[in-house]
Amino acid sequence: MITKLDWYILKKFFVTFIFCMLLFTVIAVAVDSSEHTDDFVKSGLSTTQIIRQYYFGFVPWIWGLLYPLFVFIAVIFFTSKMALRSEVIAMIANGTSYNRWLRPYLIGGLVFATILWFANRYGIPKANEIKSSFQTTYIDNPGSSRDVSNCYGCFYRRLDSVTYIGIRNYDTAQRAAGPFFLEKVKNNRVFYNLRAQRMEWDSTKNNWKLISIIERNVDSMKETVNELPFMNMDLKLKPKDLRND
């Protein structure tokens, strides 16, 4: 039989749990939205569409991920408040045994465990589907010039009507990358090709310094190859354009 004492503790348990869940949800959404702001802008979706197509999946997913933490914090929080107000001493002094006092905690734990079990079976998989669908469409594959192939850490861009570049392994701290290639293509034929082992940002000249270069000029009759220790080149590309958010 559930007594008034049980209802009193269970009420505190549930209310504190909901408070923790809402508080952490606000923090999680704020952090996630700040990380994906550029992706949301590039997607071209309205705020309502982003909420429906992404956060309707993200919020249940973060609930399922942090659910045990919510329960743990709720127990610690409301029990410490009861102890601070000497409510625990009053209960035990009134003849309530320690095991009897823990019974509402056990009931609340079973209720939360049942909710999580049903959520993992029916609710959270659907939320993951919504979240994963949005990430696949707008975040992981945004259709930009970055990572258009299966090459991890690669960056490709078309500079003008005939010039294409490729960069691998960009280091944001050193503002350097390598290897680097540049090709010029006209009428489906390559007429200029450049390979560099390394490229570094030259802050004094405000362009890129290419190191260990092999340069090829190709025409219909012959191919000319030059090897250069270094050269500076304006790629119409800044270090901030290569930096991941």
Side-chain angles (χ1 to χ4, degrees), residues 173-215:
Q174 298 182 4
R175 295 196 290 183
F180 165 84
F181 82 83
L182 182 147
E183 289 184 348
K184 294 186 177 182
V185 183
K186 189 175 183 180
N187 297 327
N188 294 325
R189 291 188 178 184
V190 177
F191 66 90
Y192 179 82
N193 177 278
L194 182 145
R195 294 286 190 276
Q197 292 296 321
R198 182 176 174 83
M199 60 181 293
E200 300 175 351
W201 177 251
D202 191 338
S203 58
T204 58
K205 297 182 179 180
N206 203 32
N207 57 19
W208 293 95
K209 181 180 180 181
L210 307 180
I211 302 172
S212 299
I213 303 161
I214 298 178
E215 187 181 33

Side-chain angles (χ1 to χ4, degrees), residues 31 42 49 61 71 79 83 129 141 160 189 191 217 236:
V31 172
K42 292 176 183 178
Q49 289 175 315
W61 172 78
V71 176
T79 303
E129 183 178 354
N141 185 26
D160 53 42
R189 291 188 178 184
F191 66 90
N217 288 280
K236 301 177 183 178

